Amino acid sequence: MDRRVAVIGIGTTGFRAASPEVSYREMIYEAAVKAYSDAGLAPDQIGSFIACSEDISEGTSIFDEYCPDQIGGARRPVHSVSGDGLHGIITAAMNIQTGLFETALVECHSKVSNCIDPVEIMNYALDPIYNRPLGEHPEFIAGLEMRRYLYESKAQPKDCAAVVQKNRAHALKNPWAAYPANLELEEIQDSPATFDPLREIDRAHHADGASVVILASADWVKKNRVKNPVWVKGMGWISEDPGLEMRPWGRSIATQKAAKMAYKQAGIRSPRSEIDFAEVDDTYSYKELQHLEDLWFFPLGGAAKAVRSGLTRSDGKFPVNVSGGCLGMGNAAEASGLQRVLEIVTQLRGEAGVRQLKRVRQAVAQSWRGIPTTSCAVAVLSKGVNS
Amino acid sequence: MGVLEKITSNQELRSWPGEIPLENLYTMGLAGERFFRGIKDEAKLLGTRCKTCDVTYLPPRIYCQGCFEKLVNWVDLPPQGKLETFTILNQDRAGRPYKTPRILGLVRIDRSEGALIHYIQGLEPQKIRIGMKLKAQFRSSSERKGSIQDIVGFVPA
Amino acid sequence: MNGLETTRKETKLKKKGSVPQANVPSGPLLKRKMAFEGTPLSGKDFEQGKVLFTTYKPKLAYAWDTGRAIGRYLQGLKEGRLLGVRCRHCDRTVIPPRAFCERCFRPIEEWVQLQDRGVINTFSISYVRWDAVRLEKPTLPAVIDIEGTSPRVGILHLLGEVDPKQIKVGMKVKAVWKAASERIGAITDIQYFKPE
Amino acid sequence: MRKVAVVGAGLTKFMRRAQETGKELSFEAARAALDNAGMQLKDIDCVVMGTAPDAFDGVHMKGEYLSDGSGAWGRPYLRGYVGGGTGVFAPIQGWYHIASGMFDTCLVVCEEKMSGCKPHPQGAFLTIFDHTTERPLYPNLLWIFALEMNRYMTTHGITKREIAHVAVKNKKNAMDHPSAQLPMEITVEDVMNSEVMAWPVNRLDVSPTSDGAAAVILASEEKAKKITDKPIWIQGVGWNLDTSYWTNRDLYYPEYVERAARMAYKMAGVKEPRKEIHIAEPYDPFDYKELHHMEGLLLCGKGEAARLAVDGVTARDGDLPVCPSGGLLGVGNPIAAAGLMKISELFWQLRGEAGKRQVPGQPKRGVAQAWGDLMQVGTVVVMGVD
C-alpha cells in the first residue's frame, strides 16, 4: 500500500486582531468553503474530519461538540485533538495511512479576541500546586527560558530584536497577516522589558482567524490527477516534561526529537542543505532562534548569526517565516500551526505572489504548544515525491 | 435579505458575555502531600529517587517518568542549589507595573535533577548571576501551611 | 479472585526477543492487586485538615461574537419576534438561525419569521439546579418544536404557568414575552412557554 | 489494513474523591496495564491520552499537564476528545497510530478527576451548552438526559419501571468488579422510589461522578504475537459526530451511534450484529442509555431493548450479556476512564480472564461503545479473538 499523503486543498480567512462581524461558526465556514473550493471537493468526499481546539480558549466545555457543522462534518467521523494545527495534520495523515480513509480535513481557528483575559487562560495552564500559587504573570516562563537560552547560545537580545524586525517586515507582503510593520532595530531594542530579558515586543500578539487543510492519499491524488499536491514526507511530534522543574531550559529537546523523527521518515540527512525554507514557531522572538537550532539547521548560537547576517530573511539563502510568523501574522493559537502548512503549500505551489520564494521544493513546519508546555510537532512538506 | 450579506455597520456588531463559573480544589497528591508535610513540619525538601535511572525528582513524584517504576526511595535534599536562570518581573498578572520589580529564579537543587521556581531576594538585579549559589528561606513554622508559599524565596547561600 | 488478578498471573511472554522480559510476577508485585486501591478521601478529611489541598477560582470570562445569524436572532427576540432561516436547497426551515446549512453546506439566504408558539417535543421536571443545588419548585425545561419550521425542529426553553403533572409531549404552547422595555435581545426575552 | 491488538489493560479503583493527582491516577492505570502485558515503558512507541473537559482537572490544556503521568515523556503524545465518547475513542486513536504503520506499540491512557470541580462537577456541564442561545437558561446535565429519556419513553411507550431493570442489573454486576465505586444489590422498587432528580430521571437511574483512570496497550500484529499468546484484536472501529443543533434532531434514536456502529461492523465484517456479537458494553451513564445504545448498535430493533432487559436476555448469563462489568452505573463514571474500562472488560472477557464476571460460553466477539457531547457522538469498537 502506498502510504504517502498529500495536501490537496487549503483555505484561510487570514488573521486579524479581532473579528467582531462573524461568529466562530461563520469564520470557520468561510475557511472551509475556500478549502473545499481549492481542493475541488464537496464535504461528502471527505473521509475523516479533525478539529484542533482547547475548551478554555473557546469558553465552552467539550468544545468538540461545536466542530462538525461549519466544516461539513455533521453525521460524519469527526474528532477533536487538543493539539496544534500540525498535530491535526499528523492525525489526518495517520487516518489516511490506515487505509480506512482516502481524504481527511483539518480545521483550526482562534477567537481569542473573545477571551476577556487571555493571560488568565494561560495562567490556568500552570501547575496548580507548584507554580500557579505564586500568582505571577505566566509569561515569566518565557523570561526564564529566554535568559537561559541566551546564556547557552551566547545570542544577544538584539538578535531577538532582529527576529522581530524580520518577521514583522515579512508580514508586510502577506495579506493574511495582522501585524505587519516596518520597525527599526533600535525601537525594538528600546521597547520596555516585561519579564526581563523578554520585552513586550518580543511576544507575538493574539489574532483571530480560521484555517482549513484537506489531505488525500497518494492513490486518490493519482486517481483524481491532482495537479499540485504537496506531500507530507515526514512527521514528528514529541512531548517532554510538562513540569517546569525537571526540564532543561536552554534547548527544546522535544523539537530536536520530533525533527529527527520527521527527517528520518523523509529520508533527510542534512536538513540545512535539503530544506529550502522553514516556518517555525516564533511565539516569542527567541523561540525562532532556539527552534531553528533544535531543528538541526544551525549549531547552538548559529541561528543568531544567521538572523544577523540576513540569511533567514525572505531574500536570504534560508528564508524563515516568510509568512511573517506569529510575530507578523499574529498568534492564532492552534491555527498558527496550520497556517505554517498553508504558507508552505502556497510557496511550493508558486502561488505566494509578492512574497513568492524562488526555486523552493521542500520545507519544514514546526510548532510549539506554548506556555507552559514542551510539546512540539514537525512536518516536512515537499513538492515532489522524491525531492 | 440574506445571511450571505455581512454586517457592514459597527453599530450592529454584538457580542454575548458569559463565563465558565467554577472553582477548583487540588489535592497535593501522594507525592505532594509528603513533600509539603516535609516543608510544613520540618522545613525540609524531600525528593524521590529512581536508582535505575539515577535521577532524583524534585518536586517528588511517585513514578519515574523515564522508566515508570514506582518510586519508594525518599531522600532529604539540602534546601539550596545553583541558579539556572532568572527573570525580572516588571509587571503583575494584570499587566500593572511593579513599583519594585520582582525576581523569579529557577534554582537547581543540590543532589537532585530537580529545581524550584521561586523569588530571589536580598540581591540587586545586576548582582544576580547564573550559576550562583542560593538557599531557600522558609517562613516560620507557625506561618507554614503546606504550600509552595511556605518558602519566602531564595537568598545567597 | 477477580478477573483483574487472574490476568496478571496468566499473562506470560511467548518469546523473549525484541519485546522485553516481563516484569511479571516477582516478589511483592505479585501480591499487588491489579485494581489500584487508591486513596479515597471523605469530605471530613478536608475539613479536619487531614489532607493538604489548594483551591483556585479562575476568572474565565468571554464575550462571544454573535455574528450575523445569531446577532439577528437576538435582535428579533428584542423586537418580540422569533426568527428562523430556510435552506432552499434542502427545503428546510430551522431555528436557531445559522449562516449555512449543516446538511448541504450551502449558505442560507432566506430569513423566516416564525410563530412564537409550538409543540412540546420533550420535557423534564427538574429539581436540580445547574450547580447541583436541590430545588423546592422544579424548573420545567423542554424542547419546543416551533410552528412553521420543518418537522422536529425546535429550541430549548422553559415551561411556565402549568401544573407539572399536566405537561404532555405534543402539548401546544405559546411564548410568554417580557415587556418590550425589559427585552435586551436575549433568549431570556421569552420568559417561558405556556399551554395555549 | 494493518491488524492491531489489545495486549494489556489496567484500571485504578473508581472513587468518589481521590487523594492522588490526575497524573498519579494516570500512572497507576498505565503501570497496571504495562504489568498486565508484561511490558516496560521503554517498549512503548507512542502515547494517547483520553480525558474529557479541562474544567474537571482545573488545568487549561490538561492533556499537556497529564502527559508525564501517562508515560508520554519524550514520546509522541496526542490527546483526542469527543466528550463522553472519549473513553472508547482513545483506543480508536491508538488504533490509527498503529494501523497507519507509524508505530508498533501504543499506550492508551484515560483519566478523569472530577471531584476537584466545585461547586459540583455537574456545574462544568453548564458550559457545554451554546453560550448565547442556551446557557442563559441555566441548563444542567440532567436536563439533557431527562429530555432524551422522556422522548425515548414517549416514542416507544416504554416505562420507567422497565428501564429501571438496567440499573438493577448493572449495579449488581459491579459487585464482582474490583474497581467498582457503586456496586449494590437493589430492586426495581428501589430505583422507582429513589429521589426524583429531573423527571423521568431518579437518583438510582444515574451513574456517580468519579475519580479514576484506565489504560490499555495496543500492538501491531507482529508485536502482539510476541507479547502474548492471547491478543484480542480490534476488528472494527467507528465514530460519528452529529450536528450540534441538538434541538433540531429527534432524540428518540441515536442515529450517530448507528452510523458509527455500521462503520465498525463493516470493517469487522459483521453482517448480523445480534448473532455475531457475543458480549456488549454500551455506554450506560444513565440506565435508559444502555437501551438506547443497544438499539443504535443494532443489537435489537428500535424500542425493543427494554424488553430484553426485563426478560433477562442482557444479564451476565443471558443470551446477550450487556455490561457484565457493571457499567458506569455500577463501576463508576470517571468519564473518559469509564469508556476505556469497557474496552478493558471486553479484553478480559474475550480472554476468558474476567473471573467472577466471566460470561459463559466463551464469547468470541464483543462491542464497546461510548457516547457524549450534546447527545451527539457515537464511538464504537468491535473486538474479537481472531
Side-chain angles (χ1 to χ4, degrees):
Chain A
M1 184 192 138
D2 192 341
R3 291 190 189 278
R4 290 169 306 142
V5 174
V7 174
I8 60 159
I10 53 172
T12 181
T13 59
F15 292 177
R16 288 174 291 153
S19 51
E21 82 286 11
V22 279
S23 67
Y24 70 93
R25 287 183 189 271
E26 291 159 5
M27 184 175 77
I28 296 166
Y29 177 71
E30 178 187 327
V33 168
K34 286 178 175 172
Y36 281 123
S37 161
D38 185 49
L41 289 184
D44 61 6
Q45 291 172 283
I46 300 294
S48 174
F49 298 79
I50 293 111
C52 303
S53 58
E54 291 282 357
D55 285 2
I56 309 291
S57 310
E58 306 291 344
T60 293
S61 288
I62 44 178
F63 183 75
D64 61 289
E65 298 166 349
Y66 295 95
C67 292
D69 298 320
Q70 53 275 8
I71 54 176
R75 290 197 186 172
R76 308 292 308 284
V78 182
H79 77 278
S80 284
V81 169
S82 53
D84 177 79
L86 281 185
H87 290 107
I89 292 284
I90 288 163
T91 300
M94 281 195 287
N95 272 233
I96 291 170
Q97 286 171 334
T98 62
L100 193 58
F101 306 107
E102 286 198 301
T103 54
L105 177 147
V106 184
E107 175 267 315
C108 294
H109 68 277
S110 161
K111 261 285 187 182
V112 62
S113 68
N114 290 188
C115 303
I116 305 287
D117 187 357
V119 174
E120 173 67 348
I121 292 174
M122 194 193 286
N123 184 47
Y124 198 46
L126 298 194
D127 183 291
I129 301 164
Y130 294 97
N131 309 131
R132 210 190 298 158
L134 293 175
E136 298 296 348
H137 193 301
E139 274 179 344
F140 77 78
I141 293 169
L144 289 176
E145 192 179 52
M146 179 170 175
R147 182 169 322 265
R148 185 69 197 182
Y149 169 73
L150 295 181
Y151 175 82
E152 289 187 16
S153 68
K154 303 198 167 55
Q156 300 294 318
K158 76 166 182 242
D159 302 324
C160 300
V163 172
V164 176
Q165 184 190 37
K166 167 179 74 77
N167 290 359
R168 297 196 65 171
H170 283 173
L172 289 164
K173 290 187 177 175
N174 186 352
W176 292 334
Y179 297 98
N182 205 345
L183 298 170
E184 298 291 335
L185 211 50
E186 288 70 32
E187 52 188 326
I188 300 170
Q189 283 182 267
D190 293 346
S191 158
T194 44
F195 308 99
D196 187 282
L198 189 80
R199 294 159 295 219
E200 171 67 23
I201 204 163
D202 286 311
R203 169 183 154 265
H205 295 284
H206 292 298
D208 286 0
S211 301
V212 171
V213 170
I214 297 173
L215 299 100
S217 68
D219 290 344
W220 201 95
V221 167
K222 219 178 289 167
K223 206 166 52 197
N224 293 279
R225 298 201 183 98
V226 176
K227 62 174 191 297
N228 51 8
V230 170
W231 299 92
V232 183
K233 274 183 70 182
M235 313 183 285
W237 67 107
I238 296 287
S239 292
E240 283 287 314
D241 201 333
L244 303 181
E245 289 83 4
M246 297 282 293
R247 65 169 73 155
W249 280 76
R251 310 294 303 259
S252 173
I253 308 296
T255 300
Q256 294 181 2
K257 290 187 186 168
K260 276 191 182 164
M261 185 177 162
Y263 294 158
K264 193 176 164 201
Q265 280 167 32
I268 288 171
R269 285 156 196 271
S270 164
R272 178 64 183 83
S273 59
E274 293 175 63
I275 303 289
D276 300 318
F277 66 105
E279 288 281 322
V280 308
D281 175 85
D282 59 336
T283 307
Y284 302 96
S285 58
Y286 72 92
K287 284 303 249 183
E288 175 171 312
L289 302 176
Q290 185 194 44
H291 289 151
L292 287 174
E293 289 160 2
D294 293 328
L295 284 163
W296 311 99
F297 292 129
F298 304 105
L300 185 63
K305 281 182 201 145
V307 71
R308 240 179 278 156
S309 69
L311 187 82
T312 53
R313 280 209 314 249
S314 56
D315 57 356
K317 283 197 172 134
F318 187 70
V320 173
N321 286 334
V322 65
S323 64
C326 278
L327 289 162
M329 293 196 70
N331 176 1
E334 287 80 11
S336 289
L338 209 54
Q339 199 66 20
R340 291 180 192 118
V341 173
L342 259 95
E343 178 67 21
I344 289 172
V345 169
T346 309
Q347 291 284 354
L348 294 180
R349 285 179 177 178
E351 295 172 354
V354 288
R355 65 180 192 288
Q356 181 63 50
L357 300 169
K358 290 191 187 99
R359 290 184 297 278
V360 283
R361 295 191 58 77
Q362 185 153 270
V364 159
Q366 179 266 0
S367 288
W368 166 58
R369 290 284 282 137
I371 285 176
T373 79
T374 53
S375 295
C376 290
V378 174
V380 178
L381 295 150
S382 178
K383 192 151 98 178
V385 179
N386 300 313
S387 63
Chain B
M1 188 172 63
V3 181
L4 268 182
E5 81 190 54
K6 298 217 168 168
I7 297 173
T8 51
S9 161
N10 62 5
Q11 303 298 302
E12 283 180 45
L13 296 177
R14 221 187 134 180
S15 65
W16 180 261
E19 55 181 14
I20 298 183
L22 56 84
E23 182 169 6
N24 295 103
L25 180 152
Y26 309 91
T27 57
M28 304 299 188
L30 299 186
E33 181 80 18
R34 191 148 164 190
F35 176 69
F36 286 110
R37 291 279 177 201
I39 289 182
K40 180 173 185 279
D41 300 338
E42 301 175 63
K44 70 176 185 185
L45 298 182
L46 286 168
T48 51
R49 184 157 170 71
C50 176
K51 281 185 190 157
T52 320
C53 300
D54 192 20
V55 171
T56 301
Y57 285 91
L58 181 92
R61 303 184 195 185
I62 58 165
Y63 51 87
C64 172
Q65 67 180 6
C67 70
F68 238 37
E69 276 310 304
K70 197 153 191 167
L71 301 184
V72 290
N73 281 319
W74 286 79
V75 289
D76 278 9
L77 295 170
Q80 61 179 44
K82 263 194 196 147
L83 183 65
E84 187 157 312
T85 180
F86 66 98
T87 179
I88 303 159
L89 280 57
N90 289 309
Q91 52 175 250
D92 69 7
R93 213 164 78 210
R96 290 176 299 237
Y98 277 134
K99 276 192 191 131
T100 316
R102 297 181 179 184
I103 305 162
L104 274 178
L106 182 118
V107 182
R108 194 67 63 188
I109 299 297
D110 291 352
R111 305 212 316 254
S112 83
E113 276 66 38
L116 286 177
I117 290 172
H118 227 296
Y119 298 104
I120 299 175
Q121 296 182 326
L123 277 172
E124 290 300 312
Q126 51 279 17
K127 297 243 171 88
I128 300 175
R129 295 284 174 274
I130 284 177
M132 73 193 305
K133 286 275 206 182
L134 297 170
K135 64 176 184 198
Q137 213 170 33
F138 294 91
R139 288 186 199 281
S140 67
S141 62
S142 61
E143 288 177 318
R144 293 200 297 267
K145 291 174 186 146
S147 91
I148 196 71
Q149 281 149 318
D150 288 353
I151 297 172
V152 184
F154 281 84
V155 297
Chain C
M1 190 178 90
N2 64 58
L4 302 174
E5 283 167 328
T6 22
T7 58
R8 174 59 186 269
K9 284 174 209 146
E10 289 175 11
T11 307
K12 284 202 182 72
L13 279 188
K14 209 169 159 187
K15 275 184 223 166
K16 291 176 197 173
S18 60
V19 175
Q21 197 43 282
N23 111 32
V24 236
S26 66
L29 269 175
L30 187 63
K31 285 179 196 144
R32 199 174 108 201
K33 269 195 170 177
M34 280 299 296
F36 168 70
E37 287 291 337
T39 317
L41 299 173
S42 71
K44 273 191 184 153
D45 292 330
F46 291 93
E47 287 157 25
Q48 296 171 351
K50 285 187 186 160
V51 57
L52 296 173
F53 63 94
T54 181
T55 58
Y56 187 73
K57 196 172 168 52
K59 293 182 192 68
L60 304 171
Y62 306 85
W64 296 283
D65 295 318
T66 57
R68 184 64 176 162
I70 295 298
R72 200 153 161 184
Y73 181 52
L74 297 181
Q75 183 57 32
L77 288 164
K78 192 175 180 180
E79 293 160 8
R81 300 186 299 152
L82 213 46
L83 295 176
V85 290
R86 180 167 169 268
C87 172
R88 281 186 203 180
H89 194 256
C90 300
D91 189 20
R92 195 165 153 260
T93 302
V94 294
I95 182 173
R98 58 213 70 169
F100 53 87
C101 173
E102 74 279 6
R103 295 224 177 138
C104 68
F105 211 59
R106 300 172 77 89
I108 286 184
E109 295 176 50
E110 192 178 326
W111 286 92
V112 182
Q113 182 167 342
L114 300 165
Q115 296 294 314
D116 59 349
R117 65 218 288 196
V119 169
I120 296 176
N121 171 301
T122 182
F123 67 94
S124 172
I125 304 163
S126 174
Y127 292 92
V128 181
R129 206 169 68 181
W130 70 275
D131 53 358
V133 170
R134 187 89 195 156
L135 297 168
E136 278 300 310
K137 187 168 173 273
T139 38
L140 306 170
V143 174
I144 295 149
D145 290 346
I146 300 297
E147 194 171 309
T149 63
S150 301
R152 270 168 294 288
V153 167
I155 57 169
L156 175 70
H157 220 293
L158 304 171
L159 302 174
E161 292 183 48
V162 60
D163 176 356
K165 290 193 196 91
Q166 305 299 318
I167 306 172
K168 295 275 180 298
V169 169
M171 192 180 234
K172 287 188 173 175
V173 290
K174 186 172 177 25
V176 176
W177 295 85
K178 284 183 180 169
S181 59
E182 288 173 30
R183 295 202 290 262
I184 58 167
I187 189 65
T188 47
D189 288 346
I190 295 175
Q191 289 178 281
Y192 48 78
F193 284 77
K194 68 169 186 186
E196 268 194 307
Chain D
M1 204 174 287
R2 215 163 168 238
K3 280 182 86 176
V4 179
V6 182
V7 296
L11 294 174
T12 69
K13 195 168 166 57
F14 291 175
M15 297 161 263
R16 170 77 187 83
R17 236 186 248 100
Q19 181 168 19
E20 287 79 4
T21 61
K23 290 171 189 254
E24 290 173 343
L25 290 171
S26 300
F27 162 72
E28 293 293 354
R31 183 67 255 178
L34 286 167
D35 289 349
N36 186 222
M39 293 169 78
Q40 295 293 355
L41 187 58
K42 67 176 159 54
D43 309 320
I44 296 296
D45 293 345
C46 63
V47 178
V48 163
M49 164 56 73
T51 183
D54 293 31
F56 288 152
D57 285 74
V59 180
H60 171 46
M61 301 196 284
K62 76 165 165 172
E64 298 287 340
Y65 169 74
L66 294 168
S67 63
D68 60 313
S70 323
W73 182 63
R75 288 187 170 72
Y77 172 75
L78 278 178
R79 170 195 175 201
Y81 63 108
V82 278
T86 300
V88 172
F89 188 73
I92 297 178
Q93 242 194 321
W95 168 82
Y96 66 62
H97 276 65
I98 295 174
S100 65
M102 190 80 83
F103 304 99
D104 284 322
T105 56
C106 180
L107 171 60
V108 179
V109 184
C110 285
E111 175 272 0
E112 219 73 66
K113 188 168 182 188
M114 301 169 73
S115 64
C117 187
K118 304 289 170 189
H120 190 279
Q122 273 195 20
F125 287 101
L126 168 65
T127 54
I128 75 170
F129 288 87
D130 185 278
H131 41 59
T132 309
T133 59
E134 291 170 353
R135 267 183 240 175
L137 300 168
Y138 286 97
N140 75 44
L141 179 69
L142 288 165
W143 287 16
I144 68 175
F145 289 104
L147 295 170
E148 192 183 61
M149 181 171 172
N150 188 3
R151 184 74 191 166
Y152 175 60
M153 286 166 55
T154 307
T155 304
H156 296 303
I158 296 167
T159 64
K160 269 173 62 63
R161 179 169 291 274
E162 290 171 305
I163 291 172
H165 281 83
V166 174
V168 173
K169 166 178 73 75
N170 290 5
K171 286 178 193 289
K172 179 154 184 289
N173 283 351
M175 303 279 285
D176 299 323
H177 202 301
S179 289
Q181 177 183 351
L182 217 59
M184 52 173 101
E185 281 199 74
I186 51 168
T187 62
V188 167
E189 291 309 318
D190 292 333
V191 180
M192 297 296 290
N193 294 332
S194 64
E195 179 185 33
V196 177
M197 298 177 81
W199 186 90
V201 172
N202 292 25
R203 184 167 292 283
L204 286 173
D205 290 314
V206 184
S207 61
T209 59
S210 318
D211 293 351
V216 299
I217 294 165
L218 307 184
S220 62
E221 183 169 13
E222 193 191 342
K223 273 279 160 72
K225 287 179 174 167
K226 284 181 186 159
I227 295 166
T228 175
D229 48 12
K230 285 200 280 183
I232 298 300
W233 303 99
I234 293 187
Q235 297 179 334
V237 299
W239 67 101
N240 198 282
L241 191 54
D242 209 334
T243 170
S244 59
Y245 296 107
W246 64 277
T247 55
N248 292 183
R249 291 189 253 122
D250 197 327
L251 301 175
Y252 91 101
Y253 184 71
E255 168 102 25
Y256 43 90
V257 172
E258 182 185 325
R259 288 180 180 227
R262 286 190 185 278
M263 179 174 163
Y265 291 150
K266 186 178 169 200
M267 184 175 151
V270 171
K271 295 200 173 62
E272 291 181 85
R274 179 65 184 86
K275 285 187 190 153
E276 296 172 66
I277 298 287
H278 307 138
I279 175 171
E281 281 279 344
Y283 201 60
D284 63 326
F286 286 54
D287 45 13
Y288 81 95
K289 288 269 41 169
E290 173 171 311
L291 307 175
H292 208 224
H293 292 150
M294 282 168 61
E295 294 171 17
L297 288 168
L298 308 170
L299 296 172
C300 60
K302 291 180 185 178
E304 288 173 15
R307 199 65 250 158
L308 299 180
V310 174
D311 294 346
V313 175
T314 57
R316 194 181 276 154
D317 55 0
D319 194 38
L320 175 64
V322 176
C323 290
S325 63
L328 280 56
L329 288 161
V331 186
N333 187 9
I335 301 185
L340 200 59
M341 179 274 286
K342 290 180 171 290
I343 298 288
S344 313
E345 184 69 11
L346 290 187
F347 174 67
W348 287 315
Q349 290 283 359
L350 294 171
R351 277 162 69 117
E353 295 174 349
K356 282 187 186 172
R357 298 193 309 284
Q358 186 63 48
V359 305
Q362 294 179 324
K364 298 250 179 317
R365 186 187 275 128
V367 65
Q369 172 261 341
W371 163 98
D373 290 350
L374 285 169
M375 300 165 271
Q376 183 184 3
V377 62
T379 53
V380 176
V381 171
V382 176
M383 286 159 64
V385 296
D386 47 35

